[in-house]
């Protein structure tokens, strides 16, 4: 009798071998099933309620993946690739999860038949390289020298991204707005220079684009209403100073033995405040923004001198104002001169819905824009913001990487055809794996058909025939339940979306395939499966929690 060797802590869950790999693939398939139906223009939305009871309605793959609290270690890689796609490209998050799940699904029968996972991984890597070469060869370059054509292409890319979102009815309106926003930024296209503000009420068409900075009117004291609300070419002071009487520290103690001395202390306090206000007025600033509160005395003081002030401005807004209007954020009132004051062409306060907004237009320095969104409910506005974020990212990518391809499953089918041809020229087992990869790519057009309620087998047969004849841009036409040349139909997306999606999906699939053992350590304080308690935890007592 050999004694049993125990290496791992009691209660450790250890699974390995073929069954383990199949279970990982099944876990990924379960995740994919949860977001499968959100793909494409006819995709459904998901309503996710978090533990605090807040509801999120979303169609964006990355948002849904983040909200789902996935604990399965292998399935978490799908969440990671959705996040990376969101950060890198902004759109195509559902696509990348679907592709990865389907590539894994295709390998299941091989694994069950006893094929070594690394043979599959090798073939998948080869297939990915062929696919990427094919995309680069197919992609159509954007001609940047012709501004009208460039604008046209960018609007088409934004519209394609918005096609599958809640706001697809207004895609023409928003795609123009987004292209305006992105093209008015400086060449580096920084994302944080596009501010998005949400105001409930009104219709989506009332959303507006402010070429400059806009933020909500801050908390204000009496006297605020007496200040003018519109200026041309004002000087703007941005401060990080409290312009109100400071309450003394609780434990500060000053002993005075007569009233005159007490009066002196009070006067000094006021003088400190008035000195600051005086310096600000002398600097010539007509608009004073501060991160810290501006008190009632200061508000009245500025109102008497026709100066506009706003205290408690959030840091993001103040930074965007600084970058947009020039100047600097000052922590003292002593060095205010023209070099640290910003300026813009027009400042006004405008009523938008139930809120009042401060608008700085015609910013001289950096290019910054603000989108003010209107809409019925908070959830709807949040989803609109997420949709616009995706579209903004797409337009940025299209500007930086100047190549576009047709959407609607056209690219996937063309690569699939190319891989099938390639697989026939390979004599080894690899032939099967390349064909499996090619079949996996067909999930995108197939799912587009399923989500729209079409007969996917029928449409895919038509598409395969069309691609075999050389119609490389043919994809699913969701509006007419047929196939169409999606390049002519202006369903375009940046090639980088597809490149990133394929790379991320095949990398994740290879990663999951190369795992052959999962070891889960028991959580501290967790009951064992038999229901016994952990050693040393003898119930309550001695101040131990349950």
């Amino acid at each position: 009798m050999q004694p049993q060797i125990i290496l791992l802590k009691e209660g450790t869950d250890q699974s390995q071998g073929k069954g383990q790999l199949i279970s990982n693939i099944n876990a990924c398939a379960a995740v994919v099933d949860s977001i499968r139906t959100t793909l494409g223009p006819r995709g459904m939305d998901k309503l996710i309620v978090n533990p605090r009871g807040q509801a999120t309605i979303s169609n964006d793959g990355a948002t849904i993946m983040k909200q789902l609290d996935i604990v399965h270690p292998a399935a978490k890689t799908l969440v990671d690739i959705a996040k990376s796609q969101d950060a890198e490209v902004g759109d195509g998050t559902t696509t990348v999860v679907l592709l990865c799940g389907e590539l894994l699904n295709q390998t299941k029968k091989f694994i069950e038949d006893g094929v070594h996972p690394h043979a599959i991984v090798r073939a998948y890597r080869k297939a990915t390289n062929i696919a990427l070469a094919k995309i680069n060869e197919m992609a159509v370059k954007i001609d940047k020298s012709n501004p009208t054509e460039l604008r046209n292409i960018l609007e088409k890319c934004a519209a394609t991204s918005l096609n599958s979102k809640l706001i697809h009815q207004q895609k023409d309106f928003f795609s123009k707005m987004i292209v305006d926003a992105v093209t008015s930024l400086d060449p580096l296209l920084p994302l944080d220079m596009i501010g998005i503000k949400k105001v409930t009420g009104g219709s989506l068409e009332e959303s507006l684009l402010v070429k400059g900075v806009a933020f909500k009117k801050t908390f204000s004291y009496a006297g605020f209403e007496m200040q003018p609300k519109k200026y041309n070419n004002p000087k703007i002071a941005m401060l990080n100073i409290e312009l109100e009487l400071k309450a003394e520290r609780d434990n500060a103690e000053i002993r005075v033995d007569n009233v005159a001395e007490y009066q002196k202390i009070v006067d000094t306090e006021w003088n400190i405040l008035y000195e600051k206000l005086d310096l600000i007025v002398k600097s010539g600033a007509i608009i004073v923004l501060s991160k810290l509160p501006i008190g009632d005395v200061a508000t009245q003081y500025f109102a008497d001198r026709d100066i506009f002030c706003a205290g408690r401005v959030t840091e993001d807004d103040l930074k965007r104002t600084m970058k947009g209007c020039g100047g600097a954020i000052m922590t003292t009132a002593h060095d205010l001169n023209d070099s640290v004051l910003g300026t813009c062409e027009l400042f006004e306060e405008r009523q938008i819905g139930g809120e009042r907004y401060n608008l700085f237009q015609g910013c001289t320095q950096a290019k910054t824009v603000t989108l003010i969104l209107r809409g019925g409910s908070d959830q709807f506005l949040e989803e609109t913001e997420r949709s616009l974020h995706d579209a903004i990212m797409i337009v940025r990518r299209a500007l930086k990487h100047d190549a576009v391809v047709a959407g609607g499953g056209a690219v996937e089918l063309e690569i699939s055809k190319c891989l099938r041809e390639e697989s026939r020229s390979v004599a080894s087992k690899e032939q099967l794996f390349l064909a499996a990869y090619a079949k996996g790519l067909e999930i995108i057009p197939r799912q587009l058909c399923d989500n729209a309620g079409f007969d996917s087998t029928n449409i895919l047969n038509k598409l395969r025939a069309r691609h075999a004849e050389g119609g490389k841009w043919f994809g699913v036409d969701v509006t007419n339940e047929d196939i169409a040349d999606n390049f002519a139909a202006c369903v375009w997306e940046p090639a980088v979306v597809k490149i990133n999606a394929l790379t991320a999906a095949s990398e994740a699939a290879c990663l999951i395939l190369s795992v052959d053992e999962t070891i889960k350590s028991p959580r501290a304080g967790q009951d064992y499966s038999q229901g016994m308690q952990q050693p040393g935890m003898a119930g309550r007592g001695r101040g131990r929690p349950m």
Side-chain angles (χ1 to χ4, degrees):
M1 286 284 288
Q2 283 287 320
Q4 190 184 1
I5 299 172
I6 298 178
L7 285 177
L8 300 169
K9 214 160 139 188
E10 194 181 345
T12 304
D13 179 25
Q14 184 182 15
S15 43
Q16 62 194 77
K18 195 193 294 182
Q20 147 69 15
L21 189 46
I22 298 288
S23 108
N24 280 352
I25 293 177
N26 289 342
C28 293
V31 174
V32 172
D33 282 341
S34 66
I35 70 161
R36 184 184 288 273
T37 51
T38 64
L39 184 78
R42 294 280 185 274
M44 309 297 272
D45 296 348
K46 303 285 180 201
L47 193 150
I48 302 165
V49 183
N50 67 6
R52 291 196 299 281
Q54 293 167 333
T56 308
I57 298 176
S58 181
N59 185 296
D60 177 37
T63 311
I64 298 168
M65 297 294 276
K66 281 178 204 160
Q67 295 275 354
L68 294 177
D69 203 0
I70 295 174
V71 290
H72 193 284
K76 273 188 182 162
T77 45
L78 292 184
V79 183
D80 292 342
I81 57 169
K83 281 183 185 167
S84 85
Q85 178 83 0
D86 196 35
E88 185 59 33
V89 193
D91 200 17
T93 45
T94 313
T95 310
V96 76
V97 178
L98 258 178
L99 274 175
C100 178
E102 191 55 29
L103 291 179
L104 285 170
N105 226 352
Q106 292 295 329
T107 61
K108 210 154 98 176
K109 55 180 185 296
F110 299 129
I111 302 284
E112 281 166 349
D113 292 345
V115 175
H116 194 278
H118 268 280
I120 303 174
V121 169
R122 202 166 42 242
Y124 269 19
R125 293 227 163 101
K126 180 176 173 183
T128 310
N129 290 336
I130 296 170
L132 296 185
K134 183 71 184 164
I135 293 180
N136 287 328
E137 173 200 323
M138 288 166 69
V140 177
K141 282 271 182 277
I142 300 176
D143 177 17
K144 285 190 176 175
S145 55
N146 179 351
T148 44
E149 189 189 326
L150 174 67
R151 187 183 167 87
N152 194 7
I153 289 181
L154 292 179
E155 277 181 18
K156 298 281 168 26
C157 287
T160 305
S161 170
L162 293 173
N163 240 335
S164 61
K165 310 291 184 203
L166 261 179
I167 50 173
H168 61 90
Q169 307 287 337
Q170 282 85 8
K171 66 176 182 197
D172 297 338
F173 172 74
F174 279 118
S175 54
K176 285 191 177 64
M177 199 157 148
I178 286 163
V179 175
D180 280 340
V182 177
T183 45
S184 56
L185 297 177
D186 54 1
L188 282 173
L189 307 177
L191 242 191
D192 55 354
M193 284 284 104
I194 299 181
I196 297 182
K197 303 284 175 201
K198 306 185 284 277
V199 186
T200 42
S203 69
L204 273 173
E205 259 86 20
E206 287 172 31
S207 304
L208 66 149
L209 176 71
V210 180
K211 292 277 177 79
V213 185
F215 52 81
K216 204 154 77 173
K217 169 182 164 290
T218 51
F219 175 79
S220 59
Y221 288 96
F224 177 78
E225 295 308 333
M226 295 155 64
Q227 299 173 352
K229 299 290 189 283
K230 192 167 182 177
Y231 298 99
N232 288 323
N233 298 322
K235 287 185 180 172
I236 306 164
M238 286 157 278
L239 309 170
N240 191 0
I241 322 174
E242 271 185 312
L243 295 175
E244 60 179 354
L245 291 183
K246 278 193 149 167
E248 284 308 324
R249 295 266 165 79
D250 294 344
N251 55 3
E253 189 178 291
I254 303 176
R255 300 197 173 189
V256 288
D257 48 18
N258 59 25
V259 180
E261 277 185 19
Y262 174 67
Q263 190 58 44
K264 236 190 238 170
I265 294 167
V266 175
D267 289 350
T268 313
E269 268 194 323
W270 284 103
N271 289 341
I272 292 170
L273 175 63
Y274 279 125
E275 185 192 5
K276 282 185 196 167
L277 297 178
D278 232 21
L279 285 164
I280 293 169
V281 173
K282 279 184 188 149
S283 73
I286 315 179
I287 296 176
V288 182
L289 305 175
S290 175
K291 202 170 117 184
L292 297 170
I294 293 181
D296 44 0
V297 177
T299 309
Q300 190 61 55
Y301 185 91
F302 287 138
D304 295 343
R305 289 159 183 71
D306 283 349
I307 293 176
F308 176 90
C309 68
R312 299 193 176 128
V313 180
T314 58
E315 193 167 0
D316 293 348
D317 289 332
L318 204 57
K319 272 192 178 154
R320 287 210 1 264
T321 312
M322 178 181 84
K323 283 185 177 167
C325 304
I329 297 174
M330 301 297 287
T331 47
T332 163
H334 283 277
D335 300 330
L336 288 178
N337 53 34
D338 284 358
S339 64
V340 296
L341 295 179
T343 177
C344 66
E345 278 169 29
L346 171 71
F347 166 81
E348 62 173 333
E349 184 181 281
R350 200 192 298 173
Q351 184 82 15
I352 299 176
E355 307 283 358
R356 276 155 55 179
Y357 269 74
N358 300 333
L359 280 76
F360 297 84
Q361 286 167 317
C363 291
T364 46
Q365 295 291 321
K367 316 282 201 285
T368 172
V369 292
T370 308
L371 296 167
I372 298 180
L373 303 180
R374 306 296 311 278
S377 67
D378 288 343
Q379 276 108 337
F380 188 67
L381 276 174
E382 276 169 22
E383 177 57 10
T384 308
E385 183 185 4
R386 279 191 290 270
S387 310
L388 291 185
H389 169 261
D390 283 11
I392 287 169
M393 292 289 281
I394 284 294
V395 175
R396 284 177 66 218
R397 286 286 165 241
L399 265 175
K400 282 185 183 171
H401 307 267
D402 47 353
V404 292
V405 292
V411 184
E412 284 84 0
L413 269 164
E414 186 61 23
I415 298 170
S416 173
K417 182 196 94 172
C418 176
L419 281 171
R420 281 210 168 88
E421 286 166 4
E422 176 73 25
S423 74
R424 291 192 198 105
S425 65
V426 179
S428 64
K429 277 189 295 197
E430 217 171 52
Q431 180 181 14
L432 296 167
F433 310 144
L434 288 177
Y437 193 99
K439 188 159 183 233
L441 289 174
E442 286 180 359
I443 185 67
I444 300 294
R446 182 182 296 275
Q447 197 58 49
L448 283 172
C449 294
D450 288 347
N451 287 353
F454 303 160
D455 177 359
S456 52
T457 317
N458 187 7
I459 287 184
L460 274 173
N461 288 342
K462 281 188 194 170
L463 277 174
R464 285 194 201 104
R466 209 55 211 255
H467 278 265
E469 291 163 11
K472 66 175 180 178
W473 294 126
F474 272 80
V476 182
D477 177 4
V478 182
T479 41
N480 303 321
E481 191 167 345
D482 200 12
I483 63 172
D485 182 336
N486 278 350
F487 207 81
C490 300
V491 181
W492 298 345
E493 34 192 352
V496 71
V497 176
K498 295 292 174 208
I499 291 173
N500 218 51
L502 274 172
T503 321
S506 67
E507 274 176 6
C510 294
L511 177 73
I512 290 167
L513 283 174
S514 55
V515 172
D516 74 331
E517 180 170 9
T518 306
I519 301 168
K520 263 190 186 166
S521 295
R523 276 216 189 122
Q526 174 179 315
D527 287 358
Y528 290 117
S529 47
Q530 292 84 5
M532 30 184 275
Q533 284 179 318
Q534 235 182 320
M537 287 282 286
R540 282 192 68 178
R542 296 201 191 160
R544 293 197 196 95
M546 268 304 262

